[in-house]
Amino acid sequence: MGLLKKSQVPLVGVDISSTAVKLVQLSRAGERYRVEHYAIEPLPANAVVEKNIVEIDAVAGAVRRALTRSGSKAKHAAAAVAGSAVITKIIPMPADLDDEEMESQVELEASNYIPYPIEEVNLDYEVLGAMPGNGEMVQVLLAASRSENVELRASALELGGLAAKVMDVEALAIENAFALVSHSLNLPHGGLVALVDVGASTTTLNILRNGRSLYSREQAFGGKQLTDEVMRRYGLSYEDAVLAKRQGGLPESYAIEVLEPFKETLVQQVGRLLQFFYAGSEFNRVDQIVLAGGCASIPGLAEMAVEQLGVPTVVANPLAQMTLGGRVQAHMLQQDAPALMIAVGLALRSFD
């Protein structure tokens, strides 16, 4: 199974994160998309650790429940491997190669970049277009991941009732979904966007220019820090703490004593990630910050980022312009949208 292959069957996008299975299915009429089905199903603690599946049965169970709750009848899925498990490289290739020659050449080149035996790797490539200033060469995106990373995800989906038709890379899925957000941003041509995806245990910074990723970096920080603090302070189990964060019902002191310090720390982490980017590039500012992931919906986070980092900041909603199917609850979707970037990017693979 390729990492970037195209698909012609209706696909449900399945994002297996550290805390939940997120599932989205879209349809399209003309240029308009419609959200047909979606669900977020929590995972038991430590079923997925740092994006690696540890308990395959627990993940498969969550996939099955998400599928049932969403009402989707899809049989095929698009999933993604985490950026940390994938090697991506843009390599120049002669433009006049046919598909077969290109494939052999890419495999040959890949062995220069991949630190594992080639037979232990799932490999794919996509031709991005002509090399700037050289019409005889094309730029080819090479993506490679250890086969076990791909196979574990495919097996979890299969046990949950779905055949993995497409295996993508999380960063590329986010890039795909970002196209739905970018038109609402007031960006100068060639402007830089810092897309910050705050997951449970990892915050990922993607710097995008004209919709393409220039830079990516992960930091070990995320919503789990907030969950841990809620558990510690209010004596709750992991499951109850996750639920309380999402649905409310915590003491009044929560907002001031727990949530505000967490927001402060999160904004500092974003600032630190940006400093790493500036230090290693010719840039010293970005034009826009877009917050995604479960923590992006925390009230007042975007405002705090503007205040402390001095950069216009918005919360990502890749579904803002879409119509909704009969089973989809608008108010729930509004709250969950920032956490669905990867799942939406995967669901878009139906229309390649």
Side-chain angles (χ1 to χ4, degrees):
M1 181 193 347
L3 283 169
L4 309 163
K5 282 287 172 271
K6 305 201 179 308
S7 167
Q8 298 307 322
V9 292
L11 293 175
V12 50
V14 182
D15 172 20
I16 300 169
S17 76
S18 298
T19 54
V21 168
K22 302 162 199 170
L23 182 148
V24 174
Q25 189 178 349
L26 304 174
S27 64
R28 184 169 70 177
E31 288 305 299
R32 288 300 296 276
Y33 292 105
R34 173 180 161 110
V35 185
E36 295 293 353
H37 304 281
Y38 104 98
I40 295 181
E41 189 61 39
L43 283 165
N46 302 320
V48 176
V49 177
E50 291 176 358
K51 305 283 180 85
N52 296 313
I53 295 176
V54 178
E55 294 175 26
I56 195 162
D57 291 339
V59 175
V63 169
R64 197 176 300 110
R65 289 192 299 278
L67 204 52
T68 304
R69 208 146 56 80
S70 74
S72 170
K73 297 285 181 274
K75 294 279 178 271
H76 299 99
V81 282
S84 51
V86 179
I87 296 163
T88 55
K89 194 88 187 150
I90 292 176
I91 51 179
M93 288 280 177
D96 57 3
L97 298 179
D98 66 25
D99 289 353
E100 218 167 282
E101 291 168 332
M102 181 72 82
E103 202 160 310
S104 319
Q105 195 64 30
V106 166
E107 273 200 22
L108 212 59
E109 284 286 325
S111 54
N112 299 328
Y113 300 108
I114 296 164
Y116 320 114
I118 213 85
E119 59 276 8
E120 290 177 17
V121 167
N122 276 52
L123 191 66
D124 211 343
Y125 70 91
E126 189 180 323
V127 178
L128 299 177
M131 281 277 287
N134 184 351
E136 290 176 10
M137 302 292 277
V138 287
Q139 288 183 313
V140 174
L141 172 66
L142 168 71
S145 181
R146 294 288 293 271
S147 301
E148 64 197 68
N149 296 321
V150 175
E151 283 156 13
L152 266 175
R153 273 171 159 61
S155 302
L157 289 172
E158 206 162 301
L159 290 168
L162 289 165
K165 265 280 178 277
V166 171
M167 198 59 74
D168 208 330
V169 178
E170 282 184 1
L172 298 179
I174 283 186
E175 211 175 278
N176 233 357
F178 176 74
L180 301 171
V181 176
S182 58
H183 58 77
S184 64
L185 304 175
N186 192 9
L187 274 179
H189 181 69
L192 294 184
V193 176
L195 178 56
V196 181
D197 185 22
V198 187
S201 54
T202 309
T203 296
T204 307
L205 168 70
N206 264 320
I207 301 288
L208 296 146
R209 189 185 206 177
N210 300 330
R212 281 276 179 202
S213 188
L214 284 187
Y215 171 94
S216 180
R217 189 183 174 105
E218 292 183 349
Q219 188 104 311
F221 179 85
K224 190 176 179 306
Q225 264 89 338
L226 181 56
T227 310
D228 289 347
E229 185 57 22
V230 169
M231 286 165 68
R232 192 185 68 77
R233 196 173 278 247
Y234 303 113
L236 296 176
S237 70
Y238 171 78
E239 282 75 12
D240 289 344
V242 169
L243 211 60
K245 264 173 45 176
R246 200 171 139 89
Q247 297 178 355
L250 287 164
E252 265 176 43
S253 61
Y254 168 69
I256 301 291
E257 291 176 9
V258 180
L259 196 56
E260 281 303 305
F262 174 77
K263 281 158 61 175
E264 294 269 353
T265 309
L266 178 48
V267 171
Q268 283 166 10
Q269 295 287 340
V270 174
R272 188 173 298 163
L273 279 166
L274 287 171
Q275 289 308 322
F276 278 123
F277 166 62
Y278 300 145
S281 74
E282 75 263 39
F283 302 104
N284 59 8
R285 61 165 287 112
V286 292
D287 298 285
Q288 177 86 54
I289 294 171
V290 177
L291 298 172
C295 292
S297 334
I298 294 175
L301 184 63
E303 290 77 3
M304 189 184 277
V306 173
E307 206 173 285
Q308 297 192 8
L309 304 174
V311 180
T313 304
V314 296
V315 176
N317 182 350
L319 308 167
Q321 302 300 314
M322 297 190 190
T323 56
L324 306 184
R327 293 183 63 110
V328 178
Q329 296 181 331
H331 68 284
M332 286 302 291
L333 189 65
Q334 179 74 23
Q335 186 188 333
D336 290 333
L340 295 172
M341 285 288 278
I342 291 173
V344 168
L346 292 169
L348 287 170
R349 296 295 304 267
S350 277
F351 314 108
D352 284 353

